[in-house]
Amino acid sequence: MTALGPEIAARPSPFRLAERGAAALLVIDMQRDFLEPGGFGAALGNDVRPLQRIVPAVRKLLDLFRAHDLPIIHTKEGHRPDLSDCPPAKRRRGAPGMRIGDPGPMGRILVLGEPGNDFVPELAPEPGELVVPKPGKGAFYRTGLDAQLAARGISQLIIAGVTTEVCVQTTMREANDRGYECLLVEDATESYFAEFKAATLEMVRAQGGIVGWTARVKEVSEGF
């Protein structure tokens, strides 16, 4: 990297920002299907309230990046209406009648274009922000995200969203393998299981940051 920018107090070591515009905020799957009753997360038997509690923290990050006119990417997990991109093994997850593609309180569950597949209102994308639908857990699988980031000159990802141990961690590992430097914002990510989140944070920053760095919203804000 050249023209290094300011430093974020992160773990396991400080995270040095690259030149302006090379760091993007990547918000993973902050959509109604995972955060609200009646969506896919609830259909799996989960309490969605822990995920709802990080909405203000994610909004602070959005406000920060918007104030600095820095790139923002939103992902949403969802499938085509004909479910041709949903493997049978994934389709079988959830209670009968509440599986991917089934009618739910917010339309067909985890199907693109349905009300439940939309973002929670507080975190709605603004014009010019990239929205990436994804059929899998990782944001790089069958999405073209890598090419989109390369076209924008992005080499670092500040990551927030849900769930920590599934879509967030999968995306971080995919990004790490592709050469991106990743920082996961601890209080802007969440799991249905507190112990899963804690273990993921430890895995990310283990062995000198084998997958990436972690920091809190306050530390990210102070780094800018």
Side-chain angles (χ1 to χ4, degrees), residues 5-18 23-24 61 64-65 70 156-159 182-186 213-224:
E7 196 173 78
I8 294 172
R11 287 158 290 282
S13 61
F15 184 86
R16 176 73 72 175
L17 291 164
L61 290 172
L64 174 69
F65 274 70
L70 293 172
Q156 297 179 320
L157 298 172
I158 311 298
I159 300 176
C182 300
L183 183 149
L184 177 56
V185 187
E186 299 172 17
W213 290 258
T214 72
R216 297 180 65 81
V217 172
K218 181 176 184 292
E219 294 160 340
V220 174
S221 298
E222 291 172 347
F224 280 77

Side-chain angles (χ1 to χ4, degrees), residues 31 33-34 38-44 77-104 107-112 114 117 134-137 167:
Q31 59 206 73
D33 267 320
F34 295 130
F40 189 54
L44 293 173
E77 184 176 352
H79 296 278
R80 298 171 186 153
D82 64 2
L83 303 184
S84 60
D85 58 353
C86 182
K90 184 177 183 182
R91 172 83 169 87
R92 288 192 290 268
R93 303 283 75 80
M98 288 288 288
R99 292 174 175 163
I100 295 171
D102 290 340
R108 295 179 67 203
I109 294 171
L110 219 62
V111 168
L112 297 172
E114 296 288 333
N117 194 243
K134 62 185 183 68
K137 296 173 177 65
C167 295

